[in-house]
Amino acid sequence: MQMENGILLPTLQSALPFLDLHGTPRLEFHQSVFDELRENLMERVAVIAEGKEADRYSKLEELLEKSFPLVKMPSIQPVVMQVLKHLPKVPEKKLKIVMADKELYKVCAVEVKRQIWQDNQALFGDEVSPLLKQYIVEKEAALFSSDVSVLHSFFSPSPKTRRQGEVVLKLTQMIGKNVKLYDMVLQFLRTLFRTRNVHYCTLRAELLMSLHDLDITEICSVDPCHKFTWCLDACIREKFVDGKRARELQGFLDGKKGQEQVLGDLSMILCDPFACNTLVLSIMRNLQELLSQDALPRDSPDLMLLLRMLSLGQGAWDMIDSQVFKEPRLDKEVVTCFLPAMMSVVVDDNIFTVEQKLPSEEKSSQAYPTLLPDAFYRFLRENRVACEMGLYYIFHIAKLRNKNALQRLLPALVDTYNDMAFGDIFLHLLTGHLTLLSDEFGSEDFCSVVFDGFLLTSFSSKENVHRHILRMLVHLHHKVAPSCMESLMKTLEPPKQRLGPQSSEPLKELYTKLTEKLEAQKKSSPAVEETPSLDLGLHTATFPAPPFHPALLL
């Protein structure tokens, strides 16, 4: 039996007894030879597939026919999977067998799965759905991060860094060079975008740029949004849209007129919070330049383009919901009425600042204005684009540590378009920017404006607002006026029941953390009851004067 079934090498027969002397079983020897042969065969399959012979795939198909009946054997399975992996077109019957068997489907390479997915959207959706959920959870977790700072905010990571995230890399690998799978993912994102979650827009742009980084021209060349996204990505990296790139972006926009679906995708890309952040920061810088030049907003073509792109991004939901793919017209009054009103607020502030620097005899008795132009209030309530700019103006004055302007503007945010001022992205940025004015929290008047005048107006009905307030206080509790802090702790205590036990868990954790910090603060700085007397109650004693020595003077 051994002679008939063993390895037929004449030189081996005389060597095998040496293994017997060493106590090595024949099974172990034959298994090691089998493993070595299998590895060599798998390497050979890869070499054949990468070669240039015309019949290379027919050779692999022949090997597949011989080996596939043994696909369930653990020892042979890796060879079968290697052959399947390197076949650009696996026979339909074999794909169906793999798809029907959960164990086989689980172990087959992603190259094989792509061939299964492209004709089975439901199965592909099952694979992609957990990744999309994971992506949203990660983005929302970043908005509620424990780090409350301007330097480390939601928008701090560069586009390239963000594209190295686990979900983006996995999706990129799953798609490969398959245009059909890429289109499926985009369709999933368009559908999910109707839930009003802007993070799907971020993923849309990140996915395309990840494929761009890998130089997958098969997809990039057919996506009509590729060049626009690439140019915008560079602007996001610089956090500014300069004149040259603005003209490029305008050329792409004008060139897409009449292409309905493309406009829908462009609006999604511009609705990405990172794109929106860059556009509004650029608008703010533009307005500063116009003020210094005594020019009107309507006279700046760069500003008009930025507003056009911001309007297209902000109108993405309306476009996708209505399926009417037409670029929204920017309300002329935003340019002729709202922006001048906002600039007048800046002028008021500049006049007050200059007056404060004048000698006392030249100062006017006029106090800092507390009211805002009616147009400012109206547009914050009624216009999405104007509201976005108004919110970012708050960040601008916070960076300047302008307490007066902040106290004037914050109460106006209580009633904004679609409650934008109580969205997670704005509150995340606002809490970070307020840390720049941390010393001002020692004033009860300032605390009253920030908390009573704005943040606490909706915290009872919006759990996210409650969480953002607690996040900020965990960092600033030692700066807040003690009387205000005591009142805030009573007000912010999590309700026992709100929308079920799970939803309030993060609230409880934050409140507990804040309570612990306050307790630690009390222990580390105990109140001094009275100043101890310097009189130690010792009797006066006389001592003979020591002999003088020059070293004592040193």
Side-chain angles (χ1 to χ4, degrees), residues 240-507:
F240 180 64
V241 183
D242 59 36
K244 183 186 174 185
R245 290 203 176 105
R247 286 188 290 276
E248 282 182 42
L249 290 168
Q250 184 171 13
F252 295 138
L253 277 178
D254 293 341
K256 303 302 179 190
K257 282 184 178 177
Q259 300 180 35
E260 294 185 346
Q261 287 289 346
V262 178
L263 202 60
D265 270 11
L266 286 177
S267 69
M268 268 189 79
I269 288 162
L270 287 167
C271 190
D272 166 21
F274 290 86
C276 185
N277 177 61
T278 304
L279 291 173
V280 187
L281 288 176
S282 303
I283 288 170
M284 290 297 145
R285 194 186 293 190
N286 219 293
L287 290 174
Q288 288 295 313
E289 289 174 6
L290 290 173
L291 271 173
S292 64
Q293 297 164 6
D294 292 338
L296 291 170
R298 71 188 83 169
D299 298 330
S300 170
D302 284 353
L303 178 61
M304 297 308 293
L305 172 65
L306 291 168
L307 288 171
R308 177 188 171 189
M309 289 195 290
L310 185 61
S311 178
L312 180 57
Q314 295 293 321
W317 284 316
D318 299 334
M319 197 181 295
I320 288 175
D321 279 348
S322 65
Q323 291 295 294
V324 177
F325 296 97
K326 189 177 179 182
E327 189 173 334
R329 283 189 178 182
L330 177 66
D331 186 348
K332 287 181 181 177
E333 285 198 338
V334 170
V335 182
T336 60
C337 197
F338 172 74
L339 287 180
M342 192 163 83
M343 291 169 83
S344 74
V345 175
V346 181
V347 172
D348 285 346
D349 194 56
N350 289 345
I351 291 171
F352 182 79
T353 306
V354 171
E355 275 207 341
Q356 294 305 106
K357 293 177 182 176
L358 293 173
S360 55
E361 63 271 10
E362 294 181 29
K363 285 182 184 177
S364 66
S365 58
Q366 193 172 358
Y368 188 86
T370 54
L371 297 176
L372 290 164
D374 290 338
F376 195 86
Y377 282 110
R378 180 165 63 86
F379 277 91
L380 281 184
R381 287 194 307 269
E382 298 173 5
N383 189 284
R384 187 179 302 176
V385 175
C387 186
E388 193 75 42
M389 289 187 284
L391 297 182
Y392 267 77
Y393 179 59
I394 297 288
F395 305 145
H396 173 70
I397 58 176
K399 277 184 181 175
L400 298 175
R401 293 175 170 81
N402 191 329
K403 180 184 79 170
N404 290 322
L406 201 64
Q407 286 178 309
R408 181 186 184 188
L409 285 160
L410 273 178
L413 304 185
V414 173
D415 186 12
T416 52
Y417 183 90
N418 206 21
D419 271 351
M420 285 170 67
F422 296 110
D424 288 331
I425 293 174
F426 174 73
L427 289 174
H428 170 90
L429 293 174
L430 179 67
T431 50
H433 280 79
L434 285 175
T435 58
L436 297 172
L437 293 105
S438 56
D439 292 335
E440 303 295 343
F441 281 89
S443 158
E444 291 190 7
D445 290 343
F446 186 76
C447 286
S448 176
V449 171
V450 173
F451 295 107
D452 300 330
F454 173 55
L455 290 173
L456 293 179
T457 57
S458 71
F459 89 103
S460 59
S461 59
K462 296 179 185 294
E463 187 174 311
N464 69 312
V465 180
H466 199 157
R467 285 177 66 183
H468 283 292
I469 298 172
L470 289 171
R471 278 178 64 245
M472 185 173 71
L473 288 175
V474 166
H475 279 260
L476 294 177
H477 62 88
H478 58 290
K479 296 282 188 179
V480 179
S483 57
C484 294
M485 196 68 226
E486 190 178 338
S487 171
L488 284 168
M489 289 303 288
K490 290 177 183 175
T491 307
L492 295 170
E493 186 174 359
K496 292 181 180 178
Q497 287 185 342
R498 179 197 278 181
L499 306 175
Q502 291 183 343
S503 61
S504 57
E505 199 57 42
L507 271 183

Side-chain angles (χ1 to χ4, degrees), residues 43-57 59-60 86 88:
E43 286 174 16
R44 182 69 187 140
V45 167
V47 170
I48 291 171
E50 290 165 8
K52 294 182 179 179
E53 294 88 351
D55 64 339
R56 62 186 184 279
Y57 293 129
K59 285 181 182 177
L60 293 181
H86 286 93

